[in-house]
Each structure stands twice: as structure tokens, then as C-alpha cells.
Amino acid sequence: QVQLVESGGALVQPGGSLRLSCLASGFSISPYPMSWFRQSSWGKRDLVALITSSDSTYYADSVKGRFTISRDNAKNTVYLQMNSLKPEDTAEYVCGVSRIDDDYWGQGTQVTVSS
């Protein structure tokens, strides 16, 4: 059974940092691109960052230079290091993977940036 479980979300002040983790089970992440999305309260998902199986990365313009996506295939985990956080980064962050059989999503972890 494919599962993605996010963790690391918290309330943080503007300018602060967080590291999110996405632990995968039921499959090996190593052959797949893995992604982080921001999800609005009405369910719209916007791509934040993606990392390919060969460690190439893509970032949304709004997070370039502040966020870093990485993966540890041995731990079957994907990370999102978030620095210089802004109030507009507040959202639920969801990990996702597209496989040939389906797209899979985690339940999300809430990040709130507020003073």
C-alpha cells in the first residue's frame, strides 16, 4: 500500500526556517520524481518544488533561493528546507508522486508563518 506521510510543519515567525519531511512506504522512491505542493483550504494545489530521480530540481518562482528540495533514497524520504519564510508561505504542504498506476498524495502538514 502506497503511503506518503509528511511531518515538520509548525507555526514560525517571518524570517524563520523549517524542514519538512515526506516518508514514503509501500514503494521505493528512487526511480520517481517527487514533489512538494502547497494546498489551499479549497483544495487547489500549486507546485512548490520537484526533484527528479537524478536529483535535478525545479522551484516555483515564489520560493527560488529560499527553499531547497532534497531526497534520501536510503531513507525513502524527501525533504523541503524552507528558509526566510514569509506570511504568504502559509499553507498546507503536501508531498506527491506520479506513478504509472496513479498519483499519490500525503495528508499534508500545516505551515503557518506569523508574528
Side-chain angles (χ1 to χ4, degrees):
Q1 181 183 358
V2 173
Q3 277 194 314
L4 299 169
V5 179
E6 302 93 337
S7 61
L11 170 63
V12 62
Q13 291 189 341
S17 298
L18 283 175
R19 188 173 85 151
L20 306 183
S21 299
C22 171
L23 175 62
S25 60
F27 76 108
S28 171
I29 69 168
S30 58
Y32 298 104
M34 299 294 296
S35 304
W36 282 98
F37 289 78
R38 290 200 273 228
Q39 183 164 288
S40 65
S41 56
W42 56 92
K44 180 177 180 290
R45 291 192 187 110
D46 292 317
L47 181 64
V48 173
L50 177 147
I51 185 166
T52 70
S53 58
S54 57
D55 287 344
S56 296
T57 56
Y58 162 85
Y59 297 95
D61 287 343
S62 59
V63 307
K64 278 181 185 175
R66 301 188 297 122
F67 289 12
T68 303
I69 189 170
S70 61
R71 62 195 297 157
D72 185 334
N73 291 336
K75 294 183 178 179
N76 227 30
T77 301
V78 181
Y79 303 99
L80 186 67
Q81 178 66 44
M82 305 188 296
N83 298 328
S84 301
L85 282 161
K86 305 175 180 180
E88 51 264 42
D89 295 319
T90 295
E92 185 165 55
Y93 285 72
V94 179
C95 176
V97 60
S98 290
R99 300 183 353 152
I100 194 167
D101 57 331
D102 207 345
D103 296 336
Y104 294 90
W105 307 96
Q107 291 299 307
T109 186
Q110 179 66 35
V111 172
T112 302
V113 185
S114 175
S115 54

